[in-house]
Amino acid sequence: MAVKVSGTPPHRNRESKKANCGYGLRAQSFDLLPGESLQEFEAFAASIKEDLAPSDRMERHYVESIVIAMWREMRIDQLEAEVLSDMTGNGKDQSYGPALANHAKHRTSLNTVLRLRSQAQSDLQRAIESLDTYRKNRRELAKLSVHEPVRGTQAQRPSGVTIH
């Protein structure tokens, strides 16, 4: 899987960034963010690929989608921890309620995290379902090709079997 490592986000105007989404949590293409380790990502991807054992190009595509969706979920976990930590000022005994009630920026930040989490979970679910559907369809097709003759040919009969 080709992964681009970003040093810093591209220097573009705001509209261009929105349109391209080339980096970050909402990226259409996948890039590692500054501070993310290529070695960690590759090890993570290898472990998922080993678990799911793709057997052809389409399965590899779906498994790569799963890897990316799972990585994005982990990014969101980190983002959520940072938002919650910011809300309480790292105070262990302070609850999040007052911070949400008193500061619109905290509500906005948490809302963004929840929206991104929902999207990442949907992306992961869709990728898993696509892989499962592809594998099921491929198995069904394999069963059909073993049991049914190809149109225009005669089925082969076991030797010694005569049909009257």
Side-chain angles (χ1 to χ4, degrees):
M1 168 185 327
V3 177
K4 215 163 74 173
V5 180
S6 298
T8 58
H11 296 287
R12 298 183 182 149
N13 63 31
R14 188 173 186 191
E15 292 76 23
S16 177
K17 282 190 216 174
K18 279 177 150 178
N20 292 320
C21 288
Y23 62 94
L25 294 169
R26 298 185 59 203
Q28 298 301 315
S29 63
F30 184 74
D31 298 335
L32 289 178
L33 299 177
E36 291 182 330
S37 164
L38 179 60
Q39 292 77 20
E40 274 185 49
F41 176 79
E42 288 175 343
F44 174 75
S47 71
I48 300 301
K49 288 176 184 179
E50 183 180 333
D51 290 345
L52 296 177
S55 62
D56 62 21
R57 185 176 299 183
M58 280 301 291
E59 285 193 10
R60 282 190 296 278
H61 166 76
Y62 292 129
V63 169
E64 287 177 3
S65 296
I66 290 168
V67 167
I68 290 169
M70 291 177 75
W71 189 263
R72 285 185 172 146
E73 277 192 330
M74 292 187 311
R75 284 179 178 170
I76 294 165
D77 290 342
Q78 178 65 33
L79 181 61
E80 179 182 37
E82 291 172 11
V83 166
L84 293 175
S85 177
D86 184 48
M87 286 172 58
T88 62
N90 291 323
K92 304 270 189 244
D93 55 347
Q94 188 176 1
S95 71
Y96 300 114
L100 285 171
N102 297 327
H103 301 284
K105 79 171 190 162
H106 294 314
R107 288 191 300 273
T108 301
S109 296
L110 194 55
N111 184 44
T112 300
V113 168
L114 295 174
R115 185 176 40 79
L116 290 170
R117 179 175 306 285
S118 177
Q119 182 63 49
Q121 288 170 338
S122 294
D123 291 346
L124 178 58
Q125 182 177 356
R126 191 172 29 258
I128 290 170
E129 288 172 356
S130 295
L131 177 62
D132 289 344
T133 299
Y134 176 77
R135 285 179 169 173
K136 178 183 173 196
N137 290 341
R138 197 179 68 217
R139 283 191 303 269
E140 292 299 318
L141 185 60
K143 285 180 191 177
L144 289 175
S145 65
V146 168
H147 297 301
E148 294 182 13
V150 175
R151 189 178 291 170
T153 64
Q154 291 186 351
Q156 293 183 350
R157 294 184 188 94
S159 61
V161 175
T162 308
I163 298 179
H164 298 284

